[in-house]
Amino acid sequence: MNTIIPQKKRPGRPPKQIGGQHETRTALLRAGVEVLTEKGFTATGIDEILRRVGVPKGSFYHYFNSKEAFGADVIETYARYFSRKLDCYFLDESFPALERIANFIADARSGMQRHGFRRGCVIGNLGQEMSALPDAYREQLIGVFGDWESRLARCLEVARAEGTINQMSDCAALATFFWIGWEGAVLRAKLELNAKPLDIFSEAFFAGLSR
Amino acid sequence: MNTIIPQKKRPGRPPKQIGGQHETRTALLRAGVEVLTEKGFTATGIDEILRRVGVPKGSFYHYFNSKEAFGADVIETYARYFSRKLDCYFLDESFPALERIANFIADARSGMQRHGFRRGCVIGNLGQEMSALPDAYREQLIGVFGDWESRLARCLEVARAEGTINQMSDCAALATFFWIGWEGAVLRAKLELNAKPLDIFSEAFFAGLSR
DNA sequence: CACAATACTAGACCGATCGTCTAATTAACT
DNA sequence: AGTTAATTAGACGATCGGTCTAGTATTGTG
């Protein structure tokens, strides 16, 4: 698909660059996000990521102390990427709040479709694997969900203010519910290789809002 | 916890027993269900299961052709166990249909609690890992979800007949929605090590039914 | 009651993977 | 010019997962 820069790197200290430093490190993290999105942490070997980026092991352990440290960085990278995406949708004032959410869902849906439903969500994947993962990841993952939750909750509060959802709604609880169900839907879509689970869940979610 | 019979087995053909044949095989499958419920397929090594049961590797490959074949059997074992459990609740005529569902949820909830929220659902775990798993599992897992879905749908139809849910409800769709969200809730409960995700989801699900 | 067939255990073996470590290479700094 | 910093190169050992061959005890048969 995209990816893969099998370009051999010369050894030795690289010339000082003004802008893009740490290209290799960035490339490793990017590849890490892609692979962990697809296969999770345990099933992924360092070598696979290395091969993808065209980098030998020496470089990897120059930039990261261990696979565990690498994983933590991948989580952070993904979380940053994702919360930017959420803001991009949830704060877009050119749409009413509920449509912003629908737009996010549509984007995520088409993203999964574009990758043949092989890629899911790094956070969901690692959450599922948690019992076989470094325990330090737990708080990190919980934190990411918390972040997503509060961003969505704020958007739902806007919807409540706009009067498009029930005035009595507990936006925080609704947001929690959304991400719980969404992860389930992503998992199921990956399993069945189609978008129906996403559609069924989001339809039910929106139906619940107007109640 | 429970488990572990480190009792050394003597080699050679065992004396003919009348009742419990294939004890070892059964023990391996039982251990497999336990471990896969907790850690999934990829993160689990054969050795771990072997150690748990107190059986050497040779025995394993006597009973199963490969880890893949073993996994398929574990899925089947778990599916059988689970659909019996579902029937036990969903067909219990001493309760109205909606309460039967609530009873199932309560049981699953307390089961997770009893195991410190370390154990989730074999089918959900393997579904998440699917991209790193033998492709043959896909249809098997989809089939299991289909089975659960139809059992729940039937129960919801009883509820509709009883008038406790909206007459216009699409019971099949509701059942699909339930299992999507339920798996998400289990995953989240495992991550956060508490029952809140289960409660939030089930509350929202029941709220949606009366709409 | 010999002796083959059967049922199962024992653990050696190979390959893969993880993480480390030394050497090599090149640019920057002084 | 010489030293230090940054990075690549990839061999290496330890560990572990999965497979397979050999061995041992019991059953069944003529």
Side-chain angles (χ1 to χ4, degrees):
Chain A
M1 319 304 147
N2 50 356
T3 60
I4 309 181
I5 315 159
Q7 192 185 67
K8 275 278 174 189
K9 285 254 187 168
R10 285 162 44 247
R13 182 169 183 164
K16 199 171 193 178
Q17 290 177 1
I18 329 108
Q21 214 115 16
H22 289 320
E23 306 173 23
T24 303
R25 191 188 149 88
T26 308
L28 286 170
L29 284 173
R30 193 190 318 282
V33 168
E34 284 174 17
V35 180
L36 293 212
T37 302
E38 200 162 322
K39 318 198 326 179
F41 189 79
T42 314
T44 300
I46 304 287
D47 281 334
E48 181 181 346
I49 292 170
L50 260 24
R51 237 177 297 122
R52 250 180 130 95
V53 183
V55 152
K57 248 184 188 169
S59 304
F60 183 89
Y61 282 94
H62 172 66
Y63 291 109
F64 306 98
N65 290 327
S66 61
K67 194 192 181 191
E68 171 168 349
F70 175 68
D73 267 0
V74 168
I75 294 174
E76 208 184 301
T77 302
Y78 183 80
R80 230 194 295 279
Y81 150 78
F82 207 86
S83 56
R84 232 177 310 147
K85 170 179 264 190
L86 289 183
D87 278 352
C88 159
Y89 285 101
F90 291 169
L91 302 178
D92 179 357
E93 307 211 345
S94 60
F95 289 99
L98 278 192
E99 275 183 48
R100 298 176 204 174
I101 298 172
N103 288 340
F104 160 74
I105 290 174
D107 175 272
R109 184 188 192 281
S110 84
M112 285 197 73
Q113 197 153 44
R114 186 170 53 251
H115 294 109
F117 297 100
R118 282 182 310 277
R119 297 190 185 173
C121 165
V122 169
I123 311 302
N125 286 352
L126 299 217
Q128 191 85 331
E129 295 181 81
M130 194 52 229
S131 43
L133 259 42
D135 211 68
Y137 288 4
R138 192 183 300 276
E139 287 306 316
Q140 209 182 346
L141 295 171
I142 292 176
V144 174
F145 275 126
D147 176 66
W148 296 357
E149 215 160 287
S150 62
R151 281 172 214 272
L152 176 56
R154 255 170 277 150
C155 188
L156 287 169
E157 278 157 18
V158 175
R160 194 174 50 188
E162 290 171 351
T164 48
I165 68 174
N166 193 313
Q167 288 301 315
M168 306 296 295
S169 299
D170 176 347
C171 295
L174 282 173
T176 310
F177 170 71
F178 177 83
W179 291 115
I180 288 173
W182 179 254
E183 287 296 335
V186 168
L187 144 56
R188 194 71 177 273
K190 254 182 19 179
L191 174 62
E192 305 195 354
L193 298 177
N194 67 58
K196 244 179 63 189
L198 304 179
D199 297 336
I200 287 180
F201 172 73
S202 58
E203 196 191 335
F205 177 72
F206 282 117
L209 290 179
S210 50
R211 170 171 38 87
Chain B
M1 319 310 144
N2 49 357
T3 58
I4 307 182
I5 314 158
Q7 191 185 68
K8 274 278 173 188
K9 286 254 189 168
R10 285 166 38 251
R13 181 168 184 165
K16 198 173 193 175
Q17 291 176 0
I18 329 108
Q21 214 114 18
H22 288 320
E23 307 172 23
T24 303
R25 190 188 149 90
T26 308
L28 287 170
L29 284 173
R30 193 189 318 282
V33 169
E34 283 174 17
V35 181
L36 293 211
T37 303
E38 200 162 323
K39 317 197 331 179
F41 189 79
T42 314
T44 300
I46 303 288
D47 279 334
E48 183 180 345
I49 293 171
L50 260 24
R51 236 176 300 124
R52 252 179 129 95
V53 183
V55 152
K57 253 181 186 169
S59 304
F60 183 88
Y61 284 93
H62 171 65
Y63 291 109
F64 307 98
N65 290 328
S66 61
K67 194 191 181 192
E68 171 167 350
F70 176 67
D73 267 0
V74 169
I75 295 174
E76 208 185 302
T77 302
Y78 182 80
R80 229 194 296 277
Y81 150 77
F82 207 87
S83 57
R84 231 176 311 147
K85 169 177 265 191
L86 289 183
D87 278 352
C88 160
Y89 285 100
F90 292 169
L91 302 178
D92 179 356
E93 307 211 346
S94 59
F95 290 98
L98 278 192
E99 275 182 48
R100 298 177 203 173
I101 297 172
N103 288 340
F104 159 74
I105 291 174
D107 175 90
R109 183 187 191 283
S110 83
M112 284 196 73
Q113 197 152 45
R114 187 169 52 251
H115 293 109
F117 297 101
R118 283 182 311 277
R119 296 191 186 172
C121 165
V122 169
I123 311 302
N125 286 351
L126 299 216
Q128 190 85 332
E129 296 181 80
M130 195 51 230
S131 43
L133 258 43
D135 212 68
Y137 287 3
R138 192 183 300 278
E139 287 306 317
Q140 209 182 344
L141 295 170
I142 292 176
V144 174
F145 275 126
D147 177 65
W148 295 358
E149 214 160 286
S150 63
R151 280 173 215 271
L152 176 56
R154 255 170 277 149
C155 188
L156 287 169
E157 277 156 19
V158 174
R160 194 174 51 189
E162 289 171 351
T164 49
I165 68 175
N166 194 311
Q167 288 302 313
M168 305 297 294
S169 298
D170 177 346
C171 294
L174 282 173
T176 310
F177 170 71
F178 177 84
W179 291 115
I180 288 174
W182 180 253
E183 288 297 335
V186 169
L187 145 55
R188 194 71 176 273
K190 254 181 21 176
L191 175 62
E192 305 195 354
L193 299 176
N194 68 58
K196 245 180 63 190
L198 303 178
D199 297 334
I200 288 181
F201 173 74
S202 58
E203 194 191 336
F205 177 72
F206 283 118
L209 289 179
S210 49
R211 173 167 37 86

